[in-house]
Amino acid sequence: MTHRIALTFEDGATRIITCNPGETVLDAAYRQQVNLPMDCSDGVCGTCKCRCEQGSYDLGDDYIDDALSADEAGEGLVLTCQMVPASDCIVAVPVPSQACKLAPATHEATVIAAELVSESTILLRLALDQPEALAFLPGQYVNLSVPGTGESRSYSFSSKPGAAEARFLIRNVPGGRMSRWLVETAQPGDRLSMVGPQGSFFLREVTRPVLLLAGGTGLAPILSMLEVLADQGCSAPVHLIYGVTQDRDLVETDRLEALAARLPGFVWSACVSNPDAGHPHKGYVTDHLDTVPFDLGQCDLYLCGPPPMVEAVRATLRDRGLAPVHFHYEKFAPTEMVAA
Ligand SMILES: Cc1cc2nc3c(=O)[nH]c(=O)nc-3n(C[C@H](O)[C@H](O)[C@H](O)COP(=O)(O)OP(=O)(O)OC[C@H]3O[C@@H](n4cnc5c(N)ncnc54)[C@H](O)[C@@H]3O)c2cc1C
Ligand code: FES
């Protein structure tokens, strides 16, 4: 059986390759023009050492201890010249993608609609020219071109991988270049290009309760993760706290309800930080952590939103001595901040 191997690189780039039965990850990568680090290809030098973050595999038995010790193997390190996957896997490659001669992948798409779903949020729907060529992990983002400017902006998929239609939830930033283009100019049929997928904020295998914390359009990657969990038939407890500033910022609540109907362990609540809001739950997501029905020290936490919100959650967890087993977060930083 063929397996899908997600190779994640130090610079955040990802490439998903297929691995044939009995084929090593190194050979599969070369076949698909990804030159992973290697030297001997015989399990002797250790140059091809990577970390398998998810999935099952045969380590091979033709390598020497100097290349991969038993302790390293126990920690999930692998030699890609020896590793034969037995399932889909995620393999972290400890070098930047360019060192593997991996050019950033560009994908083309056509605007289906750029719709203001509230005063503050745009739902962008794109028809992908080649959906099968855009393999991403739920939670990842792409850099979308801003037409006519030579600039691009990062946006996380709110749709699930493999869909012919890619969806994005985009904050309508007053005066923002992409925001303005989407609200004032975009028309169905317009063409957009995107580079990616990118990012290490993606859903890992669920082996314990999962806490999801979303701030504003930080809901986008969380929706993509929830869609995948629903397709997988996940029954683990999954708890989402979705925080926004104003009542009008609350979007996609119907979709969350539909996901709750498909995911037996999924519970979500929202809160609005403006004290004058009409919503019954006021405050920040950090004010509602006590409503989570499981031990925060025994869960995996995914956190996404604007930088101040992400920092506030991190500070609260630190102050309260709460350390989730795995903690993944993404900051929706403005482009100028990312560049700086
Ligand atoms: C990894 C990553 C993923 C992201 N994913 C998403 C996503 O899924 N959805 C989404 O809405 N955004 C996302 N962002 C943010 C997004 O890339 C843009 O920064 C944002 O949409 C603003 O773009 P713009 O062209 O409209 O405004 P710009 O032209 O970049 O900014 C115009 C002005 O507004 C300020 N500004 C920009 N953003 C904000 C803000 N959020 N709050 C207040 N002021 C701001 C800028 O500093 C600048 O002064 C992501 C960012 C990163 C780094
Ligand atoms: S390339 Fe030398 S051990 Fe794999």
Side-chain angles (χ1 to χ4, degrees), residues 42-46 49 61-73 79:
D42 277 330
V44 175
C45 68
K49 200 178 295 174
D61 43 23
D62 279 343
Y63 64 88
I64 63 168
D65 198 56
D66 279 348
L68 185 76
S69 69
D71 283 353
E72 289 176 317
L79 298 174

Side-chain angles (χ1 to χ4, degrees), residues 130-261:
Q130 291 183 292
E132 65 293 343
L134 179 58
F136 65 92
L137 299 168
Q140 288 193 304
Y141 68 94
V142 281
N143 291 318
L144 277 183
S145 58
V146 188
T149 66
E151 292 186 28
S152 65
R153 298 287 183 268
S154 307
Y155 294 109
S156 309
F157 293 95
S158 70
S159 48
K160 65 182 177 183
E165 180 179 316
R167 289 184 172 215
F168 304 89
L169 268 187
I170 298 181
R171 188 180 154 181
N172 184 13
V173 174
R177 287 208 166 175
M178 185 56 135
S179 304
R180 213 164 45 206
W181 183 80
L182 288 168
V183 173
E184 295 175 6
T185 312
Q187 291 295 328
D190 284 347
R191 300 285 287 164
L192 279 183
S193 36
M194 59 181 89
V195 175
Q198 291 271 122
S200 55
F201 183 71
F202 55 80
L203 180 69
R204 279 34 179 216
E205 189 179 359
V206 175
T207 55
R208 57 183 68 78
V210 176
L211 176 59
L212 306 167
L213 300 178
T217 52
L219 183 67
I222 303 289
L223 283 169
S224 182
M225 292 180 186
L226 286 167
E227 293 283 359
V228 169
L229 289 175
D231 284 357
Q232 289 173 349
C234 170
S235 58
V238 178
H239 194 97
L240 164 68
I241 306 177
Y242 169 30
V244 295
T245 309
Q246 309 287 353
D247 290 314
R248 63 169 181 260
D249 302 331
L250 269 183
V251 296
E252 297 278 44
T253 51
D254 289 351
R255 202 166 147 201
L256 288 170
E257 283 304 316
L259 283 159

Side-chain angles (χ1 to χ4, degrees), residues 155-156 169 215-221 304-307 310 330-334 337-338:
Y155 294 109
S156 309
L169 268 187
T217 52
L219 183 67
C304 185
V310 171
E330 181 96 279
K331 292 180 187 175
F332 280 2
M337 206 179 193
V338 175

Side-chain angles (χ1 to χ4, degrees), residues 241-297:
I241 306 177
Y242 169 30
V244 295
T245 309
Q246 309 287 353
D247 290 314
R248 63 169 181 260
D249 302 331
L250 269 183
V251 296
E252 297 278 44
T253 51
D254 289 351
R255 202 166 147 201
L256 288 170
E257 283 304 316
L259 283 159
R262 291 171 61 205
L263 264 169
F266 175 52
V267 174
W268 72 278
S269 66
C271 56
V272 182
S273 63
N274 180 354
D276 298 326
H279 197 275
H281 297 141
K282 307 274 196 308
Y284 297 103
V285 292
T286 44
D287 298 323
H288 296 269
L289 289 177
D290 291 337
T291 63
V292 179
F294 43 76
D295 182 351
L296 295 193

